[in-house]
């Protein structure tokens, strides 16, 4: 049944309460608590309710758990921003959404680490036909972030060289695949135990992210020139290495994460030490402030999905109760690829 306009909310049978992970403090993932009596939310105008089949685990979830993300919720709150599942209820003023459709989306207020969550209807993307739900995790966070960093912001072109930090993570793996598809030479940074995974994705060179001089290794691999583009998601001391690894004057460094901690750069650095382009990326801000660019990114992404560049892998699945441990391992950078929790 296609829902075009309704005066009453259309729903399937849903319970009153659910299992969920509640963040109880700003001390990090260790204070995520599994509860069994969280109220199932009601979709408001322009929203849909989904029965969550899998929830993506992202660094933003960790940042929120430590109070390190701008405008993040205050505890106690239901954690998780990225969920995929079946539409079981539709709020007012929603058109073109069918009950029973499987969609993926981002809930800015959170709530993905639960059996049910609310999503904005306009941001609920159908799971591609023939895919398992969990395969779609990445379509609304990791993949658009990597693509935006490479294309509209990073301006990568065939024949150029890109340095990708955290290349074995969910966003990093997508970036490696896309950069190779666009004809770039890829230098991937990761810990030694993850090097084979990154090589299997097509990286041309793999360097150790935890030991040695990253900038010096990059200069050696590029005959002293540096790279055209750096995808920087680590922060901490890695930001300085990224700035030093980029080509003078024309090099670009797109910063979209701070998994290793905050770092700073000043005007003296840019004038006398690192004459490069530094570009900040937050996918949520891109969606809100530059919807046309985000639309172009999503259009390009669906083309890459159709071409088989994206969507061929599945995340590592963990039980909802193992959420605190899973997030802690991601924070320690001890994981590979996309991670997901299953209610």
């Amino acid at each position: 049944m296609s829902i075009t306009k309704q005066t009453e909310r259309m729903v399937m049978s849903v319970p009153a309460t659910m299992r969920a992970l509640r963040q109880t403090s700003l001390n990090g993932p260790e204070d995520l608590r599994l509860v069994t009596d969280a109220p199932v939310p009601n979709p408001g105008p322009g929203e849909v309710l989904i029965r969550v089949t899998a929830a993506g685990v992202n660094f933003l979830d960790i940042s929120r758990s430590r109070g390190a993300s701008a405008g993040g919720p205050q505890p106690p709150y239901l954690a998780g921003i990225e969920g995929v599942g079946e539409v079981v209820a539709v709020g007012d003023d929603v058109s073109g959404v069918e009950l029973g459709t499987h969609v993926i989306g981002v809930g800015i207020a959170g709530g993905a680490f639960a059996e049910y969550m609310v999503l904005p209807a306009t941001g609920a993307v159908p799971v591609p036909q023939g895919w398992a739900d969990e395969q779609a995790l990445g379509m609304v966070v990791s993949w658009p972030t990597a693509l935006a960093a490479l294309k509209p912001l990073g301006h990568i072109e065939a024949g150029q060289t890109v340095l990708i930090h955290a290349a074995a993570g969910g966003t990093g793996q997508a970036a490696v695949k896309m950069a190779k598809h666009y004809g770039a030479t890829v230098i991937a940074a990761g810990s030694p135990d993850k090097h084979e995974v990154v090589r299997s994705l097509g990286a041309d060179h793999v360097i150790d992210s935890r030991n040695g001089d990253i900038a010096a290794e990059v200069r050696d691999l590029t005959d002293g020139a540096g790279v055209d583009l750096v995808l920087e998601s680590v922060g901490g001391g890695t930001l300085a290495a990224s700035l030093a690894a980029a080509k003078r004057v024309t090099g670009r460094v797109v910063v979209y994460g701070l998994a290793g901690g905050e770092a700073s750069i000043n005007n003296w650095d840019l004038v006398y030490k690192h004459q490069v382009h530094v570009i900040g990326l937050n996918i949520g801000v891109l969606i809100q402030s530059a919807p046309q660019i985000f639309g172009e990114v999503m259009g390009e992404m669906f083309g890459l999905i159709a071409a088989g560049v994206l969507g061929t892998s599945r995340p590592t699945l963990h039980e909802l109760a193992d959420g605190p441990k899973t997030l802690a391992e991601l924070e320690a950078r001890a994981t590979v690829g996309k991670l997901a929790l299953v209610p």
Side-chain angles (χ1 to χ4, degrees), residues 143-155:
W143 303 351
T145 297
L147 183 51
L150 284 168
K151 270 292 187 178
L153 300 183
H155 302 290

Side-chain angles (χ1 to χ4, degrees), residues 70-333:
Q74 294 300 305
Y77 64 87
L78 298 189
I81 62 165
E82 181 188 17
V84 61
E86 179 186 16
V87 176
V88 296
V90 177
D92 294 335
D93 303 322
V94 173
S95 62
V97 178
E98 293 185 358
L99 296 179
T101 300
H102 285 243
V103 300
I104 180 169
V106 170
I108 298 301
F113 297 163
E115 292 179 308
Y116 295 87
M117 77 174 297
V118 166
L119 294 174
T122 55
V125 179
V127 174
Q129 187 173 5
W131 286 22
D133 282 0
E134 62 268 19
Q135 280 183 278
L137 290 172
M139 284 180 63
V140 291
V141 180
S142 300
W143 303 351
T145 297
L147 183 51
L150 284 168
K151 270 292 187 178
L153 300 183
H155 302 290
I156 194 66
E157 296 179 359
Q160 294 187 338
T161 303
V162 56
L163 168 63
I164 300 173
H165 290 289
T171 304
Q173 288 194 18
V176 171
K177 293 177 183 178
M178 288 187 280
K180 290 302 299 177
H181 175 75
Y182 292 128
T185 296
V186 172
I187 302 174
S191 57
D193 57 317
K194 303 173 184 178
H195 284 188
E196 286 307 313
V197 171
V198 180
R199 285 194 182 94
S200 71
L201 300 174
D204 299 278
H205 309 282
V206 184
I207 61 178
D208 190 344
S209 61
R210 298 197 174 185
N211 293 299
D213 186 335
I214 291 176
E217 288 191 63
V218 168
R219 286 193 294 270
D220 287 343
L221 291 170
T222 58
D223 296 325
V227 296
D228 298 281
L229 174 64
V230 182
L231 268 55
E232 162 58 19
S233 61
V234 178
T238 304
L239 177 61
S242 296
L243 297 170
K247 283 184 177 179
R248 302 303 89 185
V249 182
T250 60
R252 291 90 64 196
V253 179
V254 179
V255 181
Y256 60 91
L258 54 156
E262 294 184 25
S264 61
I265 181 172
N266 58 44
N267 53 353
W268 189 93
D269 291 328
L270 292 174
V271 174
Y272 293 108
K273 191 175 182 180
H274 303 299
Q275 300 82 18
V276 300
H277 303 250
V278 181
I279 304 157
L281 169 60
N282 179 302
I283 197 66
V285 174
L286 180 67
I287 293 169
Q288 295 175 354
S289 300
Q292 181 178 352
I293 294 177
F294 181 71
E296 294 170 357
V297 167
M298 293 301 285
E300 179 82 2
M301 186 188 76
F302 282 112
L304 294 173
I305 290 172
V309 177
L310 297 173
T312 56
S313 60
R314 297 181 184 231
T316 301
L317 303 179
H318 299 271
E319 295 295 327
L320 189 65
D322 294 329
K325 178 183 177 183
T326 303
L327 267 71
E329 291 175 347
L330 177 62
E331 186 175 30
R333 297 162 65 188

